[in-house]
Structures are given as C-alpha cells and as structure tokens.
Amino acid sequence: MDREKDFQGGYGGGGVGAYDGGHRRMVGRRPVTDYGSTMVQWMRHRRPRYKGGPTVEFERSSASYIVNMLPPAARLDKAVDSVPAKHLHSSLNKIKHPINIVRWTPEGRRCLTGSSSGEFTLWNGMAFNFETIMQAHDSAVRAAAYSHSEDWLVSADQDGVVKYWQPNFNNVKAIQAHNDPIRDLSFSPNDAKFVTACDDATLKIFDFAAGIEESTLSGHNWDAKSVDWHPTKGLLVSGSKDHQVKLWDPRTGRCLTTLHGHKNTISKTAFEPTRGQLLATCARDQTARVFDLRMMRDVCLLRGNEKDISTLTWHPFHASLLTTGGSDGSILHYLLDEPNAPSGIVSSISPYDSPDPSNAPAQTIYPAHKLQYAHDFAVWSLDWHPLGHILASGSNDRVTRFWTRPRPGDVQCFDDRYHIGEAAAEAQGTWDRRGGRRMMRDEEEQEMEDEADGLIDQKMPPKQPILPGIPGLTANIGTARDGTSTGGAQLFPPPPPGGLAGLPGVIPPQNGFTGIDPNEIASLMAEGKIMVPPLFGGLGQGIPPPPPGFDFSKMPPGMFPPNFQPPPSFQPPPMFPPVLPPNLSGLPLPGMMADSGSGGSVRRRAPLPSQQESLMEEQRRGKYRIAR
C-alpha cells in the first residue's frame, strides 16, 4: 500500500515550525510505501492452500477497498494484481551518472544502485530518499548479485575486477577475473560458486570461498552479454553478441544445446525463479522469447516493443508476470497466460493447447500494461522488491525510478506523463510542465540535502594516535594500520630498548657523536641516513627529546625500561609537567582522556535532557495537562 507523507525539506530537526532565516522551500509530499498493513491483513485472514484463498472480500474499483489490499504472495493466482502501473518516486544523485545496476537488498529495506562512475548508492526502501554513497569500483559497475544465503554481494566492473562485499558493504576481497568488461554474473544454488560473462566471449566459473578460477567455458563466437545459473539445478544459460543462447553443464563445461531464436545481440537471459521450468531471453531485435526447458523450445514470443529490448526480469512470486525494459525508455509488463492481442489481430494458440506441441508455433503475447515513457533513455536494469510489490528501474537518463500497483479506485495514474507522454498529459491537465519542472527541481534539492546530511552523519573526525602520558603529542612511530579505516586511533609498537633515543626522529646524545666531523653528520642527514630532529611541539613530526631533569618516574609504567636514567645536564622547561589548581586536579589532561581511542580533538555530545524535564517544561506552558 502506498501512502504520502509530508516532509519539511530536511531531517536536521526543527519540525514544522523550524525556520533558520534562509530560504524556506514549500512543503512537499514524499510518497511512502508501507507494506505493513497489507501483511497484517494477510496474516489475519491466512488459510491453508487446500482450503482455498483468503476470505477477504474481492477488491473493487473503489477507495474503500484499500483496506483489503493483500501482498503479492497472498494471491499467487492473480498476477494482474501485481502489475506496477503507478509511479512512486524518482531518485537521483547530486552528481548524476547513468545507472547500470539496480538491486534490492535481501531484506528489502534498501535499494542498491551501481553507476557508470563506479559508485554504489543506497536508497531507502520505503521513502526512497538517499541514505549513503560509496566509491565501490574504479570503473563502471556492470554487474552485481546477492548470494542466496543473503550474506554476500558480488559486483563486477568495466575492468574485469570482481569484488566481495559483506552486508555492511565492507570490501573483503577483490580478484582480477577477466581483462575485459564483465557483463553479468550469477551465484550457484548453494553459493559455493559463481559464474561471470565477459566481453572476451568466455564464461568463467569461480570457487567463491577461495576466489580462484575453476573452469572456462568457451563456445561463443562473440562477446558474452548475459549469464544465469538455474535456481535449483546445475545448469547455466548464456547469451552472446553472436545471436545465440547456450545451455551449459557447469560440472564438465560442455555446451548442452544452442537455442536459435533471435536475430540480433542477446541482451539478457534469465531463468524463472519460482518453478525453474521457463527461460526468458531478450535481444536487440525488439522481441523477447520464453523457452520451456522440458520441451527445449520457445513457447511464447513477446512483441510490443518499438525499439530494442535491453533487459528483463521475472516477478519473484508470479511465474506468468514478465517485465521488459527497452532502449527507448519504455517498460512493458506481460502476462504469459493472456495474449492481449490488439484489435484487428487474431490471438494465436499456445503450444500447450495444440495437438502437436513440439511443432506448433510459439504463441504471440502482447503487453498487458505499457509504460511507454517510463524513462527518457535506455533502461539498463530492473529488479523487484523481495515482497514483489515495488519494481525499481535504472536507466541511462541517470534516474532510478520506483513503481508499484495502483490502489483500488486510483485511475489518474494511467493518464500521467509516464503513460501518455508530457505533451498529452499537459493537454489533459494531468501534467503541468512548469509545475513539473519546479517539482523536479525541488526533488533534486531535497535529494541533495539528503545526500549532504547522510555524508555528514557518516563522516568521522580524524583521530590521531596519542602517545600515552605525553599531553598533546601524536605518536607517529611507524604506526601499524589495520587496513579497515583511514582515521581513528591505531595501534603502535611499544618503545624500543634504550628509551627515546631509539625512536625515529630522535638523534642520539651528543656524546654519541664524539670524534665525528660535523660536515659528515650534515651529509648523513642530507642522504636520509640520520633524520633531522623535529622542532619541539611540532605535531605529527616525531617525538622531541625529553626536557632536562624530567622525572621519568612519573611516566606511565612500561613506557621506559627499568632503571632508566636521563642524560646528564637535563633541565625541564618551566611548567612541565603542567600543574593544575587543587579544585581541578581530578580532571584528565588534554590527550590523556580515559577513552584514549576517542581522540582528544573529538567534540563530545552533551547529555540529552530527560523526558520528565521536557514534560514539566511543556506543562508550565499549559500543555499536556488534560488526560486523554
């Protein structure tokens, strides 16, 4: 169920009455899709399948039947209820790039997009606002797939590099799988292996745990554009620029059969995920075909696209609902059990209903619903929400759009600019060009604010490792980085034997240079064999020598070796170590805070006021005094 929620242009606090003195944008309406009510409705009236469907009244074209909406999983026999005909939201980055990959996270809370700049962007799965962005690859992201266990994400780029990601988007491994762009990849049913399709006309099967290549499948005569692993069987399908669709045995690497049905480059191949009996392919010949693996032939020919088909996807629950994306920006939805032939065209017979199924021609299917103007340019990727109620699309127009089924009684969505175009919608009064541009500009500003706020929330202040016991001095002592972050307190080794004289950046005492020519010392410093001693107080430039006469017994235990004695003629500088007033003697010195890992320069957040104090303050103003 989709709803609309008011937003105030930002999430930085303040609420409706907040005003910071600058430009205040008018209140907009952000669409929010909440599937909780439909799931609760289904759980209340859920019945076993052998007892029939739920006892909820049949939906009718009236807004009063919105409360009876059910999720797609509750009506497996009614794929038409899940056709996403309504536009929800258009999400775009501050710096726009073509969207090559769209993938929902396994739990459905976020939508992941991969762009031609190599960036990953996460969008909220309900409000569709920006959440985070990261530079995932050095070149364009071309493929991405989640494992069936929902524990891993594997992505591939234009340079042939494959990267492993954890659910928190921590990159744990990167392998050079190919030397040419990788166009597609897919996991095996048990997630033990994955396969890649590359422009070098080969498929490669990798062991996921070890990250090593196991076999190479050669047989295509041109670039391999798509690959998919059967959801339950050891069977691979690939499509190539040589117009061929091949089925492979991943164990032996042998090509089982070649399907000849298209007359141009194969752009996408995908097994049906629920039953695994059908195979869908699409090509740049403006057609898509559905093959039955049991008969090893095409049973459906999908027409209706005016331009080349660039991608397709199956619905996660309905085996008869197939969606295609075209190079002209159109999105078409097909119901395989409904021919939907236009007027003047006779519907063909399905091979299943023919007396000779093996020799009967494929049934021609026309789209049940068409979004002719869904995008301005080619649609590169389509992906369904795990619950099957939202479809996300990524396009070359650098916009990610979200679509859902219209609510009962909602007919205005069929006359918007995505169905009939901007000119026709403006003529009918359902689209205002000037108002639409202003709304789009406001949405862009909102996304920019969301992105800026998200990046500020994720930005951690750099924390320098602090030498224990010496206030305000950073420890630049060959710090051992752990490789997981660029900031934060890092570990450093204990001081070497011999005290500070053995540390880098500290020259030995003068008596160690007895009999050495000063010119020779200068030449050694110029060659880098002896480091120039840093100035006292220079942060990040090494550790200065201790002041003369300094009491080393006051230093933390373990800082210096036992019975350490300072060099002779040592005089400490005035007020070192600093002397605090008696009433402040219990406070920690700068750089000697109890939580040394937090850094001395981190601003600590003040404690939040208690709810009791806030309630009492509101009651003084005359509010919240009457019990409800």
Side-chain angles (χ1 to χ4, degrees):
M1 181 184 298
D2 60 291
R3 299 175 179 173
E4 291 183 349
K5 181 180 72 174
D6 293 342
F7 66 94
Q8 291 294 329
Y11 300 99
V16 178
Y19 183 66
D20 56 0
H23 171 68
R24 182 174 184 179
R25 189 165 63 250
M26 295 181 62
V27 175
R29 301 184 70 85
R30 179 184 293 279
V32 174
T33 300
D34 180 16
Y35 54 83
S37 58
T38 60
M39 296 297 294
V40 170
Q41 180 79 353
W42 180 35
M43 295 172 62
R44 287 182 59 191
H45 302 278
R46 198 171 182 179
R47 301 175 64 187
R49 290 189 180 181
Y50 70 89
K51 291 186 178 181
T55 58
V56 181
E57 185 179 357
F58 186 76
E59 292 181 11
R60 305 179 190 273
S61 299
S62 175
S64 61
Y65 288 87
I66 293 179
V67 296
N68 292 335
M69 291 181 65
L70 296 176
R75 293 183 173 176
L76 300 178
D77 57 340
K78 295 202 177 168
V80 67
D81 288 347
S82 301
V83 173
K86 182 178 180 179
H87 171 258
L88 277 178
H89 188 70
S90 297
S91 299
L92 61 163
N93 292 85
K94 178 180 179 181
I95 302 177
K96 307 176 186 65
H97 297 281
I99 306 300
N100 296 334
I101 291 297
V102 174
R103 293 290 181 270
W104 286 93
T105 55
E107 78 283 356
R109 291 173 178 251
R110 296 171 181 85
C111 182
L112 171 71
T113 61
S115 67
S116 60
S117 62
E119 295 175 334
F120 278 170
T121 305
L122 277 178
W123 305 97
N124 188 279
M126 296 183 66
F128 315 112
N129 58 298
F130 171 86
E131 286 205 353
T132 186
I133 189 171
M134 60 177 295
Q135 188 68 40
H137 288 266
D138 297 331
S139 59
V141 181
R142 292 296 178 187
Y146 274 96
S147 62
H148 297 87
S149 64
E150 306 178 357
D151 293 333
W152 295 96
L153 170 69
V154 173
S155 60
D157 62 14
Q158 182 78 12
D159 297 334
V161 177
V162 173
K163 291 189 176 183
Y164 294 13
W165 305 88
Q166 291 177 329
N168 60 353
F169 292 96
N170 179 31
N171 181 218
V172 297
K173 182 180 288 189
I175 59 177
Q176 186 71 42
H178 296 266
N179 294 323
D180 292 315
I182 297 176
R183 297 297 177 178
D184 203 359
L185 57 85
S186 180
F187 270 99
S188 64
N190 60 356
D191 296 334
K193 308 179 190 306
F194 67 91
V195 60
T196 59
C198 180
D199 279 354
D200 58 8
T202 63
L203 309 177
K204 289 187 178 181
I205 299 177
F206 291 84
D207 181 88
F208 176 75
I212 58 176
E213 176 187 343
E214 287 193 346
S215 60
T216 301
L217 311 182
S218 302
H220 284 293
N221 301 320
W222 216 342
D223 303 354
K225 294 297 184 182
S226 178
V227 68
D228 193 22
W229 205 307
H230 194 278
T232 58
K233 305 180 185 303
L235 183 64
L236 296 176
V237 61
S238 63
S240 171
K241 202 174 180 180
D242 59 4
H243 312 174
Q244 296 178 356
V245 176
K246 291 182 178 291
L247 295 173
W248 306 82
D249 183 357
R251 301 176 183 85
T252 62
R254 183 171 61 92
C255 177
L256 301 177
T257 187
T258 301
L259 304 176
H260 303 272
H262 292 282
K263 301 177 181 179
N264 211 321
T265 302
I266 309 297
S267 54
K268 186 67 176 178
T269 58
F271 288 108
E272 197 276 316
T274 59
R275 301 175 183 173
Q277 299 174 353
L278 301 178
L279 165 66
T281 63
C282 64
R284 294 182 179 175
D285 57 3
Q286 304 179 15
T287 64
R289 293 180 180 268
V290 177
F291 295 84
D292 192 323
L293 299 178
R294 298 167 295 182
M295 296 190 292
M296 205 58 68
R297 55 149 299 176
D298 54 340
V299 293
C300 294
L301 174 62
L302 310 184
R303 295 188 179 274
N305 283 273
E306 300 177 1
K307 297 292 183 179
D308 302 342
I309 303 178
S310 53
T311 186
L312 58 79
T313 183
W314 291 93
H315 192 273
F317 295 105
H318 301 296
S320 61
L321 179 55
L322 184 65
T323 302
T324 63
S327 60
D328 58 350
S330 62
I331 296 178
L332 277 64
H333 306 289
Y334 294 88
L335 296 175
L336 302 184
D337 51 1
E338 297 181 9
N340 294 302
S343 59
I345 298 180
V346 181
S347 300
S348 56
I349 302 176
S350 173
Y352 301 114
D353 300 330
S354 174
D356 188 7
S358 59
N359 297 322
Q363 184 182 21
T364 303
I365 306 293
Y366 292 90
H369 187 267
K370 181 184 295 187
L371 288 163
Q372 188 63 43
Y373 305 95
H375 287 273
D376 297 333
F377 298 103
V379 179
W380 292 133
S381 181
L382 296 169
D383 195 39
W384 282 97
H385 189 279
L387 292 179
H389 69 297
I390 298 179
L391 176 68
S393 60
S395 169
N396 201 41
D397 61 4
R398 305 172 294 184
V399 179
T400 303
R401 289 201 166 103
F402 299 90
W403 315 85
T404 189
R405 58 162 292 186
R407 294 174 293 185
D410 187 0
V411 296
Q412 187 178 5
C413 64
F414 298 102
D415 294 328
D416 61 6
R417 65 188 182 100
Y418 303 107
H419 287 81
I420 60 179
E422 292 186 0
E426 189 175 10
Q428 292 189 10
T430 58
W431 165 255
D432 182 10
R433 188 178 299 271
R434 298 176 60 183
R437 289 177 179 173
R438 182 171 60 253
M439 185 183 302
M440 184 176 299
R441 185 166 57 251
D442 290 344
E443 289 180 357
E444 291 183 6
E445 293 178 2
Q446 177 65 30
E447 297 295 350
M448 292 172 61
E449 291 182 7
D450 291 347
E451 183 169 347
D453 293 343
L455 295 179
I456 290 176
D457 293 341
Q458 300 169 50
K459 189 180 299 182
M460 296 295 295
K463 295 179 286 186
Q464 298 291 339
I466 299 173
L467 190 66
I470 298 184
L473 295 183
T474 59
N476 190 16
I477 326 173
T479 305
R481 299 284 181 179
D482 57 7
T484 58
S485 62
T486 57
Q490 304 286 347
L491 300 176
F492 49 84
L500 294 175
L503 297 177
V506 181
I507 61 175
Q510 293 183 358
N511 56 9
F513 293 96
T514 304
I516 300 180
D517 188 5
N519 296 328
E520 184 178 355
I521 297 177
S523 62
L524 292 176
M525 289 183 178
E527 295 174 1
K529 297 181 179 180
I530 296 180
M531 297 183 63
V532 181
L535 297 176
F536 183 76
L539 298 181
Q541 302 296 329
I543 306 301
F550 181 69
D551 188 3
F552 289 90
S553 62
K554 298 182 178 180
M555 298 298 291
M559 185 66 190
F560 298 101
N563 302 325
F564 176 78
Q565 296 295 332
S569 66
F570 228 27
Q571 295 296 329
M575 298 301 294
F576 188 87
V579 179
L580 295 178
N583 56 344
L584 300 179
S585 58
L587 296 179
L589 296 177
M592 300 178 62
M593 305 176 70
D595 185 9
S596 60
S598 62
S601 61
V602 179
R603 185 180 65 179
R604 294 185 177 273
R605 184 174 294 177
L608 297 176
S610 65
Q611 295 183 0
Q612 185 69 19
E613 296 176 358
S614 301
L615 178 59
M616 294 174 62
E617 179 65 25
E618 292 295 329
Q619 289 179 346
R620 293 191 193 100
R621 300 177 182 177
K623 300 179 180 180
Y624 304 112
R625 290 183 173 274
I626 302 176
R628 295 183 178 179

